[in-house]
Amino acid sequence: MKWLSLSLLFGLWAPMAFAKALCPEPIQVGYDNWPPYHYYEPDSPQQVRGYAVEVLTAVLTAMHCKVNYVELPWKRVLHEMEFGEIDMAMEANINDERARYAWFSDSYNPGRTLLWVSKGSHYPEQDLASWLAKGYSLGVTKEYFYGDEVMSLLGRYAKQVSAVSDKQNYEKLARGRIDGFLGDMLATPSALNKEGLSSQFVAHPMVVYESPSFFMFSKRSISPQFLQQFNQRLAAFKETDAYDIIWQRYGPGR
């Protein structure tokens, strides 16, 4: 009986010990303030919140890993990740430069860009090309990359497109100086709510651009074995009610 009890105890302890052995202690996660993905409230700057934060925390908790969130400018997050000072980042897109020094998880956010228009307006067009062909004016975010196809389309209709800050796009649409603007599926509603404009704008049904988001890991501090375990836990978590609740909290129509 004593041998059996020890065997059962080891059977429960071994997976936890294996997971902890893979984890840097604690995992350092760099982030910038970008609601609703990762942000803090002004009255509680030590408590990091957001869609990506909640998903990541749930997965790392299931892996018995401790985590520490470190606020840094995005460029510095990437720099420190390259040298292993930061272990992870959230809401990352894959490119060749980053792949040189980082691993990427399976995707966890569809990363959709939508066309936002004034509430009550009627645009029957089903895609951005048809919409622009009608002569409508469009606001885009300055220096943001919308994918090769959309960027080529914006170039063809350059006289109808203005590239400014997100806040300027909101102001221009509110004043009727543009007919719509491109914005992220989750970040735009959060920003509009902050500006008191939620009741004025709605998302058009068309999906303009989709670029899935990934968690990003430093190759200097995170092993391929950790990545494998992480992806398994992430896939399992996305099938739970807990994940659905998180998505409903931050997703469209919340």
Side-chain angles (χ1 to χ4, degrees):
M1 289 296 293
K2 182 178 180 181
W3 179 86
L4 180 60
S5 298
L6 289 173
S7 298
L8 290 173
L9 179 62
F10 179 79
L12 292 172
W13 174 83
M16 183 184 299
F18 175 71
K20 284 188 174 182
L22 294 175
C23 301
E25 289 289 345
I27 293 178
Q28 302 292 326
V29 180
Y31 79 98
D32 55 355
N33 199 44
W34 188 33
Y37 292 108
H38 30 77
Y39 66 99
Y40 58 83
E41 298 290 356
D43 58 345
S44 56
Q46 302 303 316
Q47 185 175 1
V48 187
R49 302 178 181 178
Y51 166 69
V53 171
E54 291 195 32
V55 173
L56 179 58
T57 300
V59 174
L60 292 180
T61 298
M63 294 178 67
H64 307 287
C65 297
K66 295 180 180 179
V67 58
N68 181 43
Y69 290 98
V70 182
E71 186 189 9
L72 295 169
W74 178 242
K75 288 184 178 180
R76 187 175 168 191
V77 170
L78 297 179
H79 176 77
E80 295 201 10
M81 178 171 289
E82 182 174 3
F83 294 96
E85 298 298 321
I86 290 293
D87 302 307
M88 290 187 62
M90 301 172 280
E91 283 302 303
N93 299 120
I94 300 174
N95 61 40
D96 291 340
E97 170 60 18
R98 295 175 185 176
R100 180 176 58 80
Y101 58 84
W103 314 108
F104 292 87
S105 72
D106 294 335
S107 65
Y108 67 95
N109 173 23
R112 294 189 183 118
T113 294
L114 307 177
L115 172 66
W116 296 82
V117 296
S118 297
K119 185 173 287 188
S121 59
H122 178 65
Y123 299 109
E125 293 76 23
Q126 298 301 306
D127 56 73
L128 187 62
S130 301
W131 191 83
L132 286 169
K134 291 291 183 68
Y136 298 122
S137 56
L138 177 70
V140 300
T141 302
K142 188 177 182 179
E143 298 182 352
Y144 189 87
F145 181 71
Y146 296 97
D148 292 333
E149 185 176 341
V150 175
M151 296 303 291
S152 176
L153 180 64
L154 298 179
R156 292 208 309 270
Y157 291 95
K159 292 183 179 180
Q160 297 167 224
V161 178
S162 61
V164 296
S165 69
D166 289 334
K167 188 173 181 179
Q168 287 174 307
N169 276 324
Y170 309 156
E171 293 171 350
K172 290 175 74 172
L173 183 56
R175 296 174 182 175
R177 294 172 56 194
I178 56 175
D179 299 299
F181 62 83
L182 300 185
D184 181 80
M185 176 175 60
L186 301 190
T188 300
S190 177
L192 291 176
N193 183 62
K194 182 179 179 180
E195 297 295 329
L197 296 170
S198 296
S199 63
Q200 295 188 39
F201 308 140
V202 295
H204 190 282
M206 73 171 72
V207 175
V208 175
Y209 174 58
E210 190 164 292
S211 178
S213 299
F214 307 83
F215 293 112
M216 186 175 171
F217 309 83
S218 172
K219 288 182 178 180
R220 286 191 175 239
S221 60
I222 299 294
S223 69
Q225 292 78 14
F226 179 97
L227 176 63
Q228 181 181 27
Q229 289 288 317
F230 184 93
N231 281 334
Q232 290 174 1
R233 293 288 187 173
L234 175 62
F237 181 64
K238 288 172 67 176
E239 296 298 319
T240 66
D241 291 340
Y243 173 80
D244 291 339
I245 290 171
I246 293 173
W247 179 256
Q248 290 166 12
R249 184 178 302 132
Y250 297 103
R254 66 189 188 284

